[in-house]
Each structure stands twice: as C-alpha cells, then as structure tokens.
Amino acid sequence: MELQGKVVLVTGAGSGIGKAAAARLAREGASVGVLSRTEDEIQATVREIEQAGGQAIPLVADISDAGQMRQAVERLVETYGRLDIVFANAGINGVWAPIDELQPEEWDKTIAINLRGTYLTIHCSVPHLKQAGGGAIVITASINGTRTFTSSGATAYSCTKAAQLAMTQMLALELAKHRIRVNVVCPGKIETEIEESTTHRSSEEAEVPAEYPEGNIPLTGKEPGTSDEVAELVLFLVSDRSRHITGTPVWIDGGQSLLV
Ligand code: NAD
C-alpha cells in the first residue's frame, strides 16, 4: 500500500485513463476525489472503488468552471482533511477540422476545457498541497503537440497539449521549493471513450497521407495501449519511488510518436 493516508484528486475519473488511475491509486490505499462533470459516470467509479475495499467520494464539476472547481476541491479537503496528489487528466478531443473551417467557439471550447481546466485544477489544489508540506501533480497531455503533429485538423487540441507540457515545466520550477513535483504523461493511442468527445469535420482535407501497413505502434502493431498501462505510470509518478523526478514528460505510446 504505497499511498496509505494520502488524499488524491483525479479529474476525468468517469471513464478511460482517469477511471483506471482512480481505481489504481485507491488500491494503494489513497482516498480519492473522483471528479467529472457527469454524475452517473463518477457514481459508478466510486462504487467500483468501494466494492474493492477503497475510499472515494464523487465530485461533480466542470473543470473549466472556476466556482465549481473551487467548491469541489474544498469538499474533498473537508471530507478527508488534506490533499497530497493531483491527477489533472480530464480533457476532450473537440472538433478536428481544417483551420479555415474551425469556428471560434469550437476553438474556445477545447482551450477552455483542456487548458483553462488544467490551470483551474492546479490553481485550486496547490494551496492545499503547500499546506500538506509537499505533493505530486501529474497532468495528462498527449503525443499530439509534444512529439507528433500529424493528427489532421487537431490544431486546437494539439495546442492545449503543447501548453500543458510548458505548464508542467514552469510549475515544476515554481513549486519545487514547496516540495511539490509536477510531471506529465503523454499517451499515444489508448482504448477509451475519447472518440465520444471528438467531432471530425473534413479533417481529411488537412491531412498529409502516410501509410504504415504493419500498423503505426511499433511495440504492438495495430493494438492501442490500455488505460491500466497509463495508470501504472501515474502511480509511479505520484509515489515516492519517483521522488527525484519533476518537470518531466513521459511518452507512453509503444513507440508510436517516434514513427509518425
Ligand atoms: P475519456 O473520454 O474516456 O475520459 C474523459 C473524462 O473526462 C470523462 O470522465 C469525461 O466526463 C471527463 N470530462 C470531459 N470534459 C470534462 C469537463 N469539462 N469537466 C470535467 N470532466 C470532464 O477520455 P480519455 O482518453 O480517458 O482522456 C483522458 C485524457 O487523456 C485527456 O486529457 C486526453 O486528451 C488524454 N489522451 C487520451 C488519449 C487516447 O488515445 N485515449 C491519447 C492521448 C491523450
């Protein structure tokens, strides 16, 4: 039980990578604030954690809404008395379209959820991490915008992911004196529900075609990674085993971003 006594906030914990990480961290003894904007999703995550003998509470909030995020973090700290670890993971793919077709409100929505949402998650949490005498933050970025630039039409998405890497490095320096580490995981293709938050509109027009007949994930061919594999990496980065690692991106993609 590596995280016994620790309190964790996981955003986007209703499905995919966030759900797997919430369950994995709970199995290590952490009490988990399970946050997403969809109540039935997080009730299910909480039930699964409790059935496995863990501790969790549901926190309904839209990560792009400052008031809702402040309330959710306060509720978590009131419930468990402290906050030690933050997994800022929630995000959407949004609209993938050629730049002349991508509408201003579509651009704004992706930036609001992925970038402002990450900022708000950390902004509301850091006072409590300082109060706890230190902690760990992990952000979910992507191979898009950090190593690969080939997902046609995904300009807004990729810009948010590039910015999350910059944010990680800025905050790793700023928060080091408070013994708060900040790292970022950059997944390649992972089997989750993310296609549900994706709209493709004429994105083939923005494409430069490239073909990989054997599949574009060198380690697995055509098989995507799993949320559980990302959860193992998150556990490592929030645990004391990574105590000298901060400001660091880890690509978790079976080599995908080296190829495309
Ligand atoms: P998912 O759609 O399965 O899960 C996303 C979760 O975030 C859901 O619980 C959803 O309800 C929640 N969410 C979305 N918008 C929210 C908001 N405004 N406020 C609160 N909660 C919100 O997707 P996933 O694949 O698990 O994505 C998690 C993260 O991983 C995202 O940041 C995504 O960009 C990143 N990522 C995913 C992949 C992939 O292939 N799946 C690859 C690279 C990066």
Side-chain angles (χ1 to χ4, degrees):
M1 295 283 239
E2 278 193 88
L3 301 180
Q4 196 71 54
K6 302 284 187 197
V7 178
V8 180
L9 173 66
V10 179
T11 71
S15 83
I17 294 168
K19 183 174 187 177
R24 186 69 189 90
L25 302 183
R27 277 213 305 284
E28 290 301 326
S31 303
V32 184
V34 171
L35 188 148
S36 139
R37 61 181 167 182
T38 316
E39 178 151 19
D40 50 346
E41 265 189 4
I42 52 174
Q43 293 290 1
T45 305
V46 167
R47 258 196 317 279
E48 283 175 38
I49 289 174
E50 287 175 345
Q51 278 162 6
Q55 276 207 317
I57 57 160
L59 301 168
V60 180
D62 179 336
I63 57 164
S64 64
D65 184 304
Q68 290 182 23
M69 283 308 287
R70 208 169 291 122
Q71 268 189 356
V73 172
E74 291 310 320
R75 190 161 162 248
L76 175 61
V77 173
E78 271 165 32
T79 306
Y80 295 124
R82 56 188 292 136
L83 180 60
D84 305 279
I85 291 165
V86 176
F87 184 31
N89 162 79
I92 57 165
N93 275 350
V95 178
W96 293 15
I99 198 67
D100 46 345
E101 283 190 28
L102 185 68
Q103 298 305 306
E105 56 280 9
E106 295 166 343
W107 170 273
D108 287 347
K109 185 176 178 194
T110 302
I111 305 292
I113 295 178
N114 291 5
L115 187 51
R116 176 182 160 88
T118 302
Y119 148 72
L120 282 174
T121 302
I122 296 173
H123 170 73
C124 295
S125 301
V126 158
H128 302 289
L129 300 182
K130 287 180 177 171
Q131 176 97 37
I137 298 170
V138 174
I139 296 171
T140 306
S142 172
I143 59 172
N144 286 295
T146 62
R147 254 189 184 171
T148 73
F149 301 87
T150 48
S151 292
S152 47
T155 308
Y157 178 79
S158 299
C159 287
T160 64
K161 297 297 164 180
Q164 286 177 316
L165 175 54
M167 198 189 295
T168 299
Q169 293 170 105
M170 288 296 297
L171 296 182
L173 262 185
E174 178 180 325
L175 298 175
K177 60 177 171 294
H178 299 286
R179 304 183 58 76
I180 299 169
R181 299 182 298 107
V182 190
N183 292 292
V184 57
V185 296
C186 304
K189 188 171 172 49
I190 306 294
E191 190 69 57
T192 68
E193 308 304 317
I194 199 148
E195 273 306 314
E196 286 175 19
S197 74
T198 315
T199 305
H200 294 276
R201 210 172 50 230
S202 340
S203 51
E204 66 288 347
E205 277 172 32
E207 192 177 332
V208 177
E211 252 185 63
Y212 297 93
E214 309 298 329
N216 64 358
I217 305 177
L219 271 183
T220 57
K222 292 187 166 70
E223 272 303 300
T226 67
S227 294
D228 288 336
E229 288 165 343
V230 182
E232 289 298 334
L233 173 60
V234 174
L235 171 59
F236 171 71
L237 288 174
V238 303
S239 77
D240 206 40
R241 283 181 287 151
S242 63
R243 61 188 167 274
H244 204 50
I245 301 178
T246 195
T248 297
V250 182
W251 285 275
I252 173 159
D253 66 348
Q256 184 185 355
S257 62
L258 297 173
L259 192 60
V260 291

